Amino acid sequence: MRKAVYGVFGTGGCARGIMPLAREQLRAQSIEPDAVLFIDDNAGASPTVNGHSVLSFEQFCALEAEDHYVAIAIANSRVREQIYERIIAAGIKPLSIRAQQTVIMDDVQIGAGALLSPFVTLTSNITIGIQFHANLYSYVEHDCRIGDFVTFAPGVKCNGNIVIDDHAYIGSGAVIRQGTAERPMVIGRGAIVGMGAVVTRDVAPGTTVVGNPARPLVQEA
């Protein structure tokens, strides 16, 4: 029986970008690449993707091993939460993946299941919840608090003294202006910050903002 098996949940672009990082991380721990698999519940899924076997969640759970670990590489945070609840209920441990090029400085606390892509930087005195996704070249500056199931697309610039609530999505190249210790900038629960937006004021929960300066998106009738 294997000591452990490892899964990357998903076979989309997010998962295919995480798999090489998982392979690299596990190899550094002397774990062979065949111990890490893709997980996809789609009945029509290919049996292999990029050289790794694809199993259903039930098949993965049935593998004989002392421990099972899963990285949830699903961009949609609500789906990510549902899968997280499934793996915890099944007794599976969340797997965090961190690229070798990630920079993490002082007093940074990160919850389980974070996926940190190459060239992500987290500076100092930062608290991050579970299942955080930070894509290429994103950064989080000092004294920030980030909730659960938050997603950063590539190139997000999250400056100091910012609070980002659960399930927020920050689009590619977005810039969030620095707050202060007394008055942090706040991105509300489930808010969406559009690609390239420049956020200069708080974003209300569930609101989508776009542009420079970022303003609520007005849907045309």
Side-chain angles (χ1 to χ4, degrees):
M1 179 184 294
R2 285 183 183 269
K3 183 173 178 59
V5 289
Y6 303 84
V8 173
F9 208 117
T11 53
C14 179
R16 285 179 276 119
I18 290 299
M19 178 59 85
L21 305 180
R23 194 168 58 230
E24 178 182 61
Q25 179 171 302
L26 295 172
R27 186 181 289 118
Q29 302 170 26
S30 300
I31 298 168
E32 293 301 317
D34 66 351
V36 59
L37 312 160
F38 283 111
I39 302 170
D40 193 331
D41 280 333
N42 182 353
S46 170
T48 61
V49 171
N50 293 352
H52 292 267
S53 297
V54 180
L55 302 182
S56 69
F57 182 64
E58 288 71 22
Q59 289 171 327
F60 179 80
C61 291
L63 293 175
E64 293 189 0
E66 294 179 22
D67 288 305
H68 293 64
Y69 295 87
V70 169
I72 306 174
I74 302 292
N76 184 308
S77 71
R78 300 291 177 179
V79 176
R80 194 153 79 236
E81 182 176 28
Q82 293 169 5
I83 294 170
Y84 175 77
E85 291 171 352
R86 287 177 67 189
I87 71 169
I88 295 303
I92 292 172
K93 299 175 182 178
L95 176 63
S96 297
I97 302 296
R98 180 183 302 176
Q100 288 187 352
Q101 304 89 342
T102 302
V103 176
I104 299 179
M105 300 183 189
D106 290 339
D107 193 16
V108 177
Q109 302 174 39
I110 308 174
L115 304 183
L116 306 180
S117 294
F119 309 108
V120 166
T121 298
L122 310 175
T123 65
S124 63
N125 304 90
I126 297 164
T127 302
I128 298 173
I130 62 172
Q131 298 293 323
F132 176 54
H133 283 194
N135 276 284
L136 297 157
Y137 294 100
S138 293
Y139 71 71
V140 180
E141 263 287 4
H142 63 87
D143 301 297
C144 287
R145 300 197 311 275
I146 296 176
D148 299 332
F149 304 101
V150 170
T151 304
F152 281 11
V156 168
K157 298 174 175 62
C158 177
N159 292 292
N161 290 296
I162 292 168
V163 175
I164 300 180
D165 209 344
D166 301 348
H167 289 286
Y169 176 89
I170 316 298
S172 297
V175 180
I176 307 174
R177 181 178 66 81
Q178 180 167 327
T180 66
E182 299 76 21
R183 180 68 173 82
M185 288 280 292
V186 178
I187 309 297
R189 180 183 176 89
I192 297 173
V193 175
M195 181 189 308
V198 178
V199 179
T200 59
R201 62 182 68 184
D202 293 351
V203 179
T207 302
T208 298
V209 296
V210 296
N212 180 6
R215 301 181 187 280
L217 179 64
V218 178
Q219 299 288 349
E220 294 185 3

